[in-house]
Amino acid sequence: MAQQPKKILVIGGGYGGLKAVLGLQRKYKGDAEITLISKHDYHYQTTLLHKVAIGTLSARKARIYYRKVLDLQKVHFIKDKIVELRPKENKVIGNGGEYFYDILVIGLGFKPNNFGIKGVEQYAYKLSSLNAALRLDKNIENKFKEFVHTKNPKDLQVIVCGTGFTGIEFAAEFATQLDELCLICGIDRRIPQITCIGRSKHILPVFSADLVQSAEEKLERLGVTILSGATIKEIKEGEVVIEKDGATQSVYGNTIIWSAGVKGSEIVENSEIPNKNGRISVNANLQCKEFPNIYVVGDCAIATDKDAIHAPTAQLSAQMGDYVAELLCEKLEGRTFEKPFKFNHRGTVCSIGHTDGVGIVYHKNVKGELAAFMKNTIENKWLYSIGGLNMVFKKGQFRYRTSN
C-alpha cells in the first residue's frame, strides 16, 4: 500500500513560523503536505508596532498578506485561531475544526506578561498585535481631537510602563510627533507629557552604559520623563501607583501603555506540553524533548546556547524558522541532520524616532542617524527575505519617508 504523504503543520505566522514555511516552500522538493495556520490572513512586523500606534506607519502598509507571499501550489494556508494542542493525538484544535499532523512547528508568538499586577488588564493598552496598536492610535487621536472640548490635561498625559525596547521606541516616536499633533489640534505644546516607568536602574538594560546614557539624553531632549528604579504596584484608571526610593507615589495620565515584559503563548501554557510561562524548553535541534515530532520557534521556545538563554527577538525567531526549514528538508528526504541551532547575533537597534537611535551592529556601537539607518536596513532586510525587492519598495522603511 502506498504510504500517505507526511503532514507538516506550522501554527503561527510570525517571524519564526513564516520563515519555516517559506524555507520549505523554497527548498523542499518532496510530496509532504505543508500547511500554515494563522489567526490573521496577514503578517506584520512586531518591531514596528510602535509606529502603527502613533500613526506614522499605516495599517495598510503594515499588513503583509500571506496569500501574496506563499506559493499556494506548495503551501496550504488556513485562517483559524488555534485554541488547543493535543500532542498525544498528533492534532491541534482550532475554532474551525481539528488539524492532524505528523510534524508540528509551533510559532504562536507572545502575550504581554502582567506579572500579576492589579489593573493591568483593565486599564492599560498593550503593543501586542496590529489591532492593539490601532486601538491605541485611535485613542491618542481622539484624546487630542477632543481636548478642545474636554480641556482635561490628563487626557494628554501618557504613561509608558516598561523601559525596554517596546516602551522606549513608543515613547520616542510619540515625542517626535507631539509638535505636529499640537499644531494640528491647536494645543499648547507644554500640556502633553510622556512618562516612562522602569524597574531597572537604567533604560534599555541590554545596552552598555555609554549607549544607555546617549539614549536617555536623547529622550530628555524630546521632553520624555524617565522614572527608573521604580516598581509598579498597581494600575488604576488614569493612575499608576509606584514605589520608588522606599516611598509610594502616583503618576497620573489617561493613556497607560503596558510594555513591561512578555511571556509565551497561553495555548502552550494550558497544554500538556511541559512549559514555563507558555515557553517550551527545546534541544539543540529546536525539538520538544517530550514530543520529538514537535519543533518550536520564536517566543514559544526557550533556546539555550552554551547556557546563555536568548531573549526572544524577531532576529532570533527568523533564524529559528530558517533552521527548522533546513532541518525538515533534510529529514523528510531521508538524510541525517547533525547541525545544532546556533544564533548568529548580528546586532540590535532601538529607534528613537524615525531619524535617530542607538544600538549594536556586528559588535560595534552605533548612534544617531547611522543607528536609524541600520534599524531601517534590518526591517527592509526582513521584507526582502519574504518578498524580494518589490516588497521592500512597497512596504519598506526609508530615511526620507514615513506614512505621515
Side-chain angles (χ1 to χ4, degrees), residues 8 30 36 43 59 150 164 185 210 218 224 245 312 329 360 369 392:
I8 301 170
L36 171 66
H43 167 84
T150 65
C185 301
D210 173 46
K218 289 171 191 288
V224 177
D245 303 324
C329 284
I360 304 163
E369 290 210 354
V392 177

Side-chain angles (χ1 to χ4, degrees), residues 144 153-160 170-171 174-175 178 182 187-196 222-225 251-255 257:
F144 273 78
K154 282 186 191 165
D155 279 350
L156 306 187
Q157 287 163 7
V158 173
I159 307 166
V160 181
F170 171 83
F174 187 31
L178 279 178
C182 289
I187 293 167
D188 183 336
R189 176 63 184 83
R190 290 166 298 187
I191 299 170
Q193 288 173 9
I194 305 165
T195 306
C196 285
L222 287 169
V224 177
T225 303
V251 183
Y252 297 97
N254 284 348
T255 299
I257 293 100

